[in-house]
Amino acid sequence: MDFEITHEQRMLVETVRGFIKDELAPLEQEIEETGQLPDEIARSIFEKSRALGLYGMNIPEEFGGGGLSALETMMVEEQFGHTTDILIRRAFGNVYEVLLSCEGPQVERWLLPSVRGDRVCSIAFTEPGAGSDAAGIRTRAERKGDKWVLNGMKHYISDGAFADFFVVTAVTDPAKGHRGISMFLLDKGTPGFNIGRDQPMMGLRGTSHLDLHFDDVELTDENLLGTEGEGLKLALSVLGRVRLAQVAARSIGKATKVLQMTLDYARERVQFGQPIGEFQMVQQMLADSAMEISAARSALWQCAWEIDAGLDPRARISVLKVQGSETLGRVVDRAVQIFGGMGYSKDLPIERYYRDARIYRIFDGASEIHRGVIAKSLLKGGAQLFDPWGA
Ligand SMILES: Cc1cc2nc3c(=O)[nH]c(=O)nc-3n(C[C@H](O)[C@H](O)[C@H](O)COP(=O)(O)OP(=O)(O)OC[C@H]3O[C@@H](n4cnc5c(N)ncnc54)[C@H](O)[C@@H]3O)c2cc1C
């Protein structure tokens, strides 16, 4: 085990941190107030970030990405957690690794423009009747001659208003259950593909969460991503790393930032003639937050190391999804408590962090779903799953 951070890694993280502090953080409050990130500002931060090589860093260099290892991806994703969802998307890109399954003409049409930032992709799996139960979708793609005909709908699709195309799951063989689901690449503007309402949400201001409607949308085999019938298998194999990055690492980053703000406040705020940080009950909250963040970060790095070593730490990713998001939930809840009325007021961003944090326990598999995965893995594989020496 080697926990030394290389010079290159330190430089990378400092560049990302500096970019967030100088270019993105000053935009946060206006987005919160207006719910909008103006197009010209979005373009400007994208161009600046791309010039620094900070766009699509998770994608291998052979496709024009930054070629970061899993561990390095987690290091920068933790920094991304210091700003808001919409700014991360515009500045650094959400280039989903599922697009690495593109083949032949799909590479030029969907993968490469995404890595360059010329086209933006959203993931569209969830439907009103099928959230946690991803195999329970009703959207149907029927083969008719050499075409596929898509009918159905999706909802809550993040960044759908800005996206140029979508990765959509659909049932291709109803008789085969979860083995009868495939993934399709669907361009906005395809006849029969209509955008519905933008669902208002508790937080994540500036990001859209759209309904999508498919009415006899005609697709060809070029739209099929991966192998027919293996859509869910593909999702499971690639989305784990997304969860680790976009939920666990970002949660740990957000929790770290909130703890620092809370420490600053606990030093400054005086009650009963002394800084509130001198009260043991406040100290306990601060210590608990620090312990939980530290444990989650070590676990994150171990998990990323395992991915880089070629292992498939699926159960550990579920652990991190829950550990990261729930740590953030507790840290930000304690922050509101320590800030008192100021924590609840809109004069400070603490209440925004509190609202934004809540979704991390729900999307990309709710805590209950991941606890189920962990428990089933334990019952099947034994405690040695998390014990390098064996039980
Ligand atoms: C802000 C936001 C952004 C989103 N972005 C996207 C996106 O970009 N693309 C996309 O496809 N989807 C997206 N989603 C959808 C998201 O992934 C789902 O909301 C999530 O998977 C939960 O599904 P659900 O809302 O239908 O809840 P349900 O599945 O109905 O779950 C409700 C409750 O029941 C519990 N539950 C369900 N099944 C079990 C079980 N087997 N055991 C124990 N408890 C269970 C859940 O844990 C949860 O507590 C987004 C949602 C939100 C709110």
Side-chain angles (χ1 to χ4, degrees):
M1 266 172 283
D2 180 1
F3 282 94
E4 194 171 345
I5 297 168
T6 66
H7 175 68
E8 288 74 20
Q9 288 167 344
R10 200 172 286 282
M11 293 291 291
L12 173 68
V13 166
E14 279 173 15
T15 306
V16 172
R17 259 178 187 245
F19 191 86
I20 290 174
K21 184 163 165 279
D22 299 338
E23 304 287 344
L24 306 185
L27 304 170
E28 289 176 12
Q29 192 52 30
E30 197 180 328
I31 295 170
E32 191 58 23
E33 282 161 17
T34 61
Q36 303 285 335
L37 173 63
D39 286 349
E40 65 281 6
I41 299 179
R43 184 89 213 157
S44 153
I45 57 174
F46 160 66
E47 277 168 4
K48 283 184 195 165
S49 157
R50 191 167 61 168
L52 289 169
L54 302 181
Y55 196 90
M57 284 184 280
N58 55 320
I59 300 295
E61 279 173 339
E62 58 180 306
F63 300 111
L68 297 188
S69 66
L71 179 58
E72 289 160 347
T73 300
M74 299 313 144
M75 289 174 173
V76 299
E77 286 278 354
E78 185 181 329
Q79 307 311 312
F80 292 176
H82 288 219
T83 189
T84 63
D85 181 77
I86 185 69
L87 290 166
I88 301 168
R89 287 175 185 276
R90 294 297 169 272
F92 307 117
N94 252 17
V95 188
Y96 291 101
E97 284 150 23
V98 70
L99 295 177
L100 295 173
S101 305
C102 282
E103 282 181 355
Q106 295 177 330
V107 174
E108 286 291 337
R109 189 166 164 195
W110 287 293
L111 170 61
L112 298 183
S114 302
V115 185
R116 287 195 298 268
D118 295 339
R119 303 192 78 197
V120 168
C121 170
S122 282
I123 297 285
F125 294 173
T126 305
E127 301 179 4
S132 302
D133 180 12
I137 55 168
R138 294 239 178 109
T139 294
R140 177 88 166 91
E142 249 179 297
R143 194 179 264 294
K144 290 202 174 148
D146 59 351
K147 299 251 188 292
W148 291 99
V149 179
L150 187 71
N151 279 290
M153 83 159 293
K154 301 286 173 181
H155 76 165
Y156 301 161
I157 306 312
S158 296
D159 214 19
F162 195 79
D164 300 288
F165 70 96
F166 298 82
V167 174
V168 176
T169 46
V171 176
T172 43
D173 188 343
K176 289 194 178 154
H178 68 275
R179 289 199 186 84
I181 292 175
S182 307
M183 269 192 206
F184 292 88
L185 294 151
L186 176 57
D187 286 323
K188 207 180 250 178
T190 306
F193 174 22
N194 296 306
I195 301 297
R197 77 162 184 158
D198 180 357
Q199 168 71 55
M201 293 287 178
M202 176 196 276
L204 307 183
R205 295 269 289 161
T207 311
S208 54
H209 300 98
L210 296 191
D211 287 0
L212 310 179
H213 300 271
F214 317 120
D215 301 305
D216 289 331
V217 182
E218 284 196 1
L219 303 174
T220 68
D221 278 336
E222 196 174 314
N223 296 89
L224 181 69
L225 182 62
T227 310
E228 182 183 337
E230 296 198 354
L232 279 192
K233 196 170 154 203
L234 179 59
L236 278 179
S237 67
V238 293
L239 291 184
R241 193 165 147 163
V242 175
R243 282 182 184 128
L244 201 63
Q246 298 190 3
V247 179
R250 287 183 197 176
S251 292
I252 293 165
K254 263 187 210 314
T256 306
K257 179 174 178 171
V258 169
L259 176 60
Q260 186 55 57
M261 293 169 77
T262 315
L263 287 169
D264 293 343
Y265 190 73
R267 283 195 201 101
E268 283 163 19
R269 172 71 175 166
V270 173
Q271 287 292 280
F272 299 97
Q274 56 181 322
I276 58 170
E278 300 288 325
F279 298 123
Q280 283 189 350
M281 277 186 268
V282 172
Q283 288 180 350
Q284 176 165 4
M285 286 193 268
L286 295 172
D288 284 351
S289 290
M291 287 190 295
E292 289 179 29
I293 292 170
S294 168
R297 184 180 292 108
S298 300
L300 174 72
W301 286 16
Q302 180 184 359
C303 190
W305 178 88
E306 288 186 4
I307 293 174
D308 285 331
L311 305 171
D312 181 9
R314 218 165 277 195
R316 206 183 280 285
I317 288 175
S318 284
V319 169
L320 259 305
K321 164 69 174 66
V322 178
Q323 191 178 7
S325 60
E326 295 194 356
T327 292
L328 172 61
R330 287 187 293 269
V331 169
V332 79
D333 185 69
R334 290 183 195 118
V336 173
Q337 197 65 18
I338 293 173
F339 273 84
M342 285 301 284
Y344 196 73
S345 86
K346 284 207 177 269
D347 280 0
L348 289 182
I350 298 296
E351 63 85 29
R352 161 160 62 88
Y353 293 126
Y354 184 80
R355 281 185 287 110
D356 284 353
R358 192 60 185 84
I359 187 57
Y360 284 75
R361 287 156 57 191
I362 297 170
F363 62 17
D364 277 316
S367 288
E368 294 73 27
I369 300 301
H370 286 288
R371 280 196 167 84
V373 171
I374 297 163
K376 279 186 198 129
S377 306
L378 281 168
L379 289 165
K380 191 170 162 205
Q384 64 262 35
L385 209 59
F386 301 105
D387 173 3
W389 310 115

